[in-house]
């Protein structure tokens, strides 16, 4: 499985129309009487109207414009099934979006995380604001330019639609604000494989929560930063970030190989971190009293391949799950002295790249594999491991092979236990509603397109997409990143 994109490549662009500019007539140095070339043609207002705005009949002008206009195919493009012909390109149906913005950075950021803010929950007002952290992937010869980016995206307006004539002009101007991307840079010196953020609430509610980031780098190190001052600086103009504030508060060097799996416990406020590497080892690091970060040298072992993803249980402080290239999902209890998995289940014949634990229904776990298949499992049907070999998986609650390339990211909706977002190597972010139930005959033809699951709500096209996340506080908002930059969107479907 290819874990990274190729080095930067330049996108080629061609004009939409080709033609020759009108040649400017030669100037005559000799002055003479001004002659109106349309003098005989325009004899009445009726004739002027019929002749059109450029002196030609409307029918003639429209025929020429029709020849020059780019042909638009209104058919639905289905990745993996539809093919673009030479000279064709994709264009989104803007009527299906409530919000759609794209932003680019100097280097690709193939992993990011959204940071919670104090602007309120379940937000639906515009323009929207998003705080996030991301790690870059610079060219190998310029690896020292890699950085951790702390970002504020503001002015994210809704799509410009026809409004009521009585709508307030000031409100309309606010909703149509231009998007702004502000960044604070922290040097890392190595490519970021994956990054995750964690908020540590203060005992004094009037103070800003501490925001930790954990960055797994290509150099097999885990960097922990306190980015609280960087985030605060966005809303406090003139704030100076000192070099000391941009240094890591801890650098973890327990791993002997690089890795991609990392997760903060949502139930341990002071900070507890899991990290997994390509050797199949999982380490746990905790923040002790006094702010000292300590890594337990007793590793969790059992995977026969690389650890691709990790996630803590949303409701049990001592339980987490891991996904591996050995095709298994394992469930662990950190209280076990043996450091062996409590449950081990084979869920795929290929690498299991990603997993996501439902926020609302704790016994549901979603997984995405290298063969493009993703599935939802009921953990209540998984039996404890009794031997070294993993148990065969029971039948999944749901399983989909719509994508024809590897699944690179999967995440449950933060408040709806039937909605899932999936990113894949076929350049798509798809939104799914598992609550939709149609019979087999009806599901063969979804919205006029054959062989599309009825649970598929939306397909968002994004080149080289690697990771997607729901915003936990903006209703229905999805943010994604890939080789071409960031995308922030909200559909009319969710």
């Amino acid at each position: 499985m290819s874990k990274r994109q190729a080095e930067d490549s330049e996108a080629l662009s061609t004009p939409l129309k080709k033609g020759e500019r009108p040649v400017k007539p030669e100037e005559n140095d000799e002055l003479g009487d001004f002659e109106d070339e349309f003098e005989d043609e325009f004899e009445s207002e009726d004739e002027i109207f019929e002749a059109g705005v450029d002196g030609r009949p409307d029918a003639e002008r429209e025929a020429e414009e029709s020849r020059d206009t780019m042909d638009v195919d209104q058919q639905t493009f289905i990745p993996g099934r539809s093919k673009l012909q030479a000279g064709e390109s994709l264009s989104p149906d803007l009527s299906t979006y409530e919000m759609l913005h794209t932003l680019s950075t100097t280097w690709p950021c193939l992993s990011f995380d959204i940071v919670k803010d104090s602007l309120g929950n379940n937000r639906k007002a515009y323009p929207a604001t998003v705080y996030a952290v991301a790690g870059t992937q610079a060219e190998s010869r310029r690896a020292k330019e890699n950085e951790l980016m702390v970002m504020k995206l503001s002015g994210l307006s809704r799509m410009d639609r026809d409004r009521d004539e009585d709508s307030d002009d000031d409100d309309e101007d606010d909703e149509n604000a231009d998007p702004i991307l502000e960044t604070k840079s922290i040097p890392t010196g190595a490519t970021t494989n994956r990054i995750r953020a964690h908020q540590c609430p203060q005992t004094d509610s009037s103070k800003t929560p501490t925001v930790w980031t954990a960055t797994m780098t290509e150099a097999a190190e885990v960097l922990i930063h306190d980015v609280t001052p960087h985030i605060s600086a966005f809303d406090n103009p003139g704030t100076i970030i000192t070099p000391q504030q941009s240094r890591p508060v801890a650098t973890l060097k327990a791993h002997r190989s690089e890795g991609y799996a990392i997760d903060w416990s949502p139930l341990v406020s002071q900070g507890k971190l899991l990290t997994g590497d390509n050797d199949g080892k999982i380490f746990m690091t905790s923040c002790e009293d006094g702010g000292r970060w300590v890594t337990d040298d007793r590793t969790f072992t059992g995977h026969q391949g690389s650890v691709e993803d990790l996630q803590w249980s949303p409701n049990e402080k001592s339980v987490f799950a891991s996904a591996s290239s050995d095709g298994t999902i394992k469930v662990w209890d950190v209280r076990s002295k043996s450091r062996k998995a409590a449950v081990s289940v084979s869920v795929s014949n290929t690498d299991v790249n990603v997993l996501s634990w439902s926020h609302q229904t704790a016994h549901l776990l979603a997984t995405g594999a290298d063969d493009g298949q993703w599935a939802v499992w009921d953990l209540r049907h998984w039996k404890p491991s009794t031997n070294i070999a993993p148990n065969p998986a029971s039948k999944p609650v749901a399983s989909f092979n719509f994508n024809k390339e590897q699944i690179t990211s999967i995440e449950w909706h933060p408040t709806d236990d039937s909605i899932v977002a999936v990113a894949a190597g076929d350049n798509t972010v798809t939104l799914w509603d598992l609550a939709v139930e149609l019979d087999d005959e009806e599901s063969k033809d979804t919205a006029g397109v054959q062989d599309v699951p009825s649970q598929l709500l939306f397909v968002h096209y994004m080149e080289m997409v690697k990771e997607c996340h729901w915003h936990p506080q903006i209703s229905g908002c999805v943010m994604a990143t890939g080789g071409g930059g960031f995308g922030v969107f909200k559909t009319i479907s969710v």
Side-chain angles (χ1 to χ4, degrees):
M1 167 184 168
S2 176
K3 301 301 179 186
R4 291 192 192 82
Q5 68 172 44
E7 301 284 337
D8 289 350
S9 62
E10 297 182 358
L12 300 179
S13 60
T14 57
L16 296 179
K17 299 180 180 179
K18 292 183 179 180
E20 298 180 355
R21 296 183 179 274
V23 179
K24 184 178 179 180
E26 295 182 0
E27 296 183 358
N28 192 340
D29 293 336
E30 297 182 5
L31 297 177
D33 294 335
F34 175 78
E35 180 178 347
D36 184 0
E37 60 177 315
F38 301 122
E39 181 177 13
D40 295 330
E41 183 176 351
F42 298 140
E43 296 181 354
S44 69
E45 291 185 0
D46 291 339
E47 260 187 45
I48 294 175
F49 179 78
E50 293 174 0
V53 294
D54 59 356
R56 294 179 299 161
D58 288 340
E60 179 184 336
R61 188 183 68 261
E62 290 172 0
E64 181 178 328
E65 290 175 351
S66 178
R67 290 194 300 270
D68 293 339
T69 301
M70 179 175 59
D71 292 333
V72 178
D73 186 349
Q74 298 290 352
Q75 291 186 349
T76 302
F77 181 88
I78 305 297
R81 295 159 176 78
S82 307
K83 291 184 178 180
L84 289 176
Q85 302 300 319
E88 290 184 334
S89 61
L90 293 178
S91 179
D93 181 355
L94 299 182
S95 67
T96 62
Y97 291 89
E98 184 171 311
M99 176 177 67
L100 176 62
H101 295 281
T102 57
L103 306 100
S104 60
T105 53
T106 304
W107 297 112
C109 298
L110 304 187
S111 182
F112 77 102
D113 204 7
I114 295 173
V115 178
K116 288 186 176 181
D117 53 53
S118 59
L119 301 179
N121 295 323
N122 196 28
R123 303 201 299 267
K124 298 180 180 179
Y126 292 93
T129 298
V130 176
Y131 295 86
V133 292
T136 64
Q137 185 193 39
E139 295 177 0
S140 56
R141 60 187 177 87
R142 300 172 65 178
K144 293 301 181 182
E145 296 181 22
N146 278 298
E147 58 189 12
L148 186 164
M149 296 177 60
V150 185
M151 303 182 292
K152 178 184 178 182
L153 295 77
S154 57
L156 302 176
S157 59
R158 74 164 69 205
M159 300 301 294
D160 186 16
R161 306 195 189 282
D162 294 336
R163 305 184 186 279
D164 296 335
E165 293 181 0
D166 296 334
S167 62
D168 188 281
D169 291 340
D170 292 337
D171 291 343
E172 186 173 334
D173 290 341
D174 290 341
E175 291 192 358
N176 291 328
D178 292 329
I180 300 173
L181 172 61
E182 301 172 76
T183 63
K184 305 292 182 184
S185 175
I186 299 175
T188 59
T191 290
T192 293
N193 288 347
R194 194 162 290 170
I195 185 171
R196 291 293 179 263
H198 173 70
Q199 273 193 346
C200 178
Q202 299 280 8
T203 53
D204 185 350
S205 58
S206 64
K207 294 184 179 180
T208 303
T210 300
V211 180
W212 304 110
T213 61
T215 307
M216 293 203 73
T217 73
E218 196 176 39
E221 294 181 339
V222 179
L223 307 178
I224 298 178
H225 288 89
D226 179 0
V227 297
T228 312
H230 304 75
I231 293 176
S232 299
F234 291 128
D235 304 314
N236 296 279
T239 301
I240 297 176
I241 305 297
T242 65
Q244 181 62 34
Q245 290 175 311
S246 292
R247 294 192 179 99
V249 297
T251 300
L252 312 181
K253 299 184 178 182
H255 295 281
R256 294 292 175 263
S257 65
E258 65 175 313
Y260 295 82
I262 188 167
D263 194 41
W264 292 97
S265 170
L267 304 177
V268 181
S269 59
Q270 69 268 28
K272 179 168 285 189
L273 183 69
L274 289 170
T275 53
D277 60 30
N278 289 350
D279 292 335
K281 295 181 179 180
I282 301 171
F283 288 88
M284 183 171 63
T285 301
S286 304
C287 184
E288 306 287 342
D289 293 338
R292 191 168 65 97
W293 294 87
V294 177
T295 300
D296 193 330
D297 57 6
R298 297 174 300 160
T299 60
F300 298 90
T301 58
H303 280 300
Q304 302 304 307
S306 59
V307 180
E308 297 294 313
D309 203 2
L310 290 163
Q311 195 160 105
W312 287 95
S313 165
N315 66 344
E316 294 187 68
K317 186 181 293 187
S318 62
V319 176
F320 71 90
S322 59
S324 172
S325 62
D326 62 13
T328 68
I329 296 291
K330 296 183 187 294
V331 181
W332 313 72
D333 190 328
V334 300
R335 296 170 297 184
S336 171
K337 294 181 180 180
S338 68
R339 286 298 198 256
K340 301 298 182 184
V343 178
S344 179
V345 177
S346 177
V347 300
S348 176
N349 294 324
T350 61
D351 298 10
V352 184
N353 297 328
V354 288
L355 59 84
S356 178
W357 218 313
S358 172
H359 303 272
Q360 303 298 315
T361 308
H363 61 263
L364 293 180
L365 189 75
T367 61
D370 222 33
D371 59 2
Q373 188 170 50
W374 71 275
V376 177
W377 309 89
D378 188 336
L379 298 182
R380 295 174 300 182
H381 298 161
W382 287 8
K383 298 179 180 179
S385 301
T386 56
N387 50 45
I388 298 178
N391 297 327
S394 56
K395 186 177 180 180
V397 175
S399 179
F400 303 96
N401 58 0
F402 171 77
N403 300 99
K404 302 307 179 185
E405 299 291 340
Q406 72 271 20
I407 305 299
T408 60
S409 184
I410 191 167
E411 187 167 286
W412 290 90
H413 189 284
T415 59
D416 191 328
D417 62 0
S418 68
I419 305 294
V420 181
V422 178
D426 55 11
N427 301 321
T428 63
V429 177
T430 51
L431 307 184
W432 301 76
D433 185 356
L434 303 181
V436 175
E437 294 183 7
L438 298 177
D439 59 44
D440 291 340
E441 288 301 318
E442 191 174 359
S443 63
K444 289 180 180 178
D445 189 4
T446 301
V449 181
Q450 293 186 347
D451 301 324
V452 174
S454 55
Q455 293 85 354
L456 179 61
L457 286 180
F458 198 86
V459 179
H460 174 76
Y461 188 86
M462 185 175 182
E463 290 190 5
M464 296 180 285
V465 62
K466 290 296 183 182
E467 205 168 276
C468 65
H469 297 296
W470 296 96
H471 195 293
Q473 297 169 282
I474 301 178
S475 178
C477 175
V478 178
M479 185 172 177
T481 187
F486 290 95
V488 182
F489 66 92
K490 175 178 168 58
T491 77
I492 61 174
S493 306
V494 181

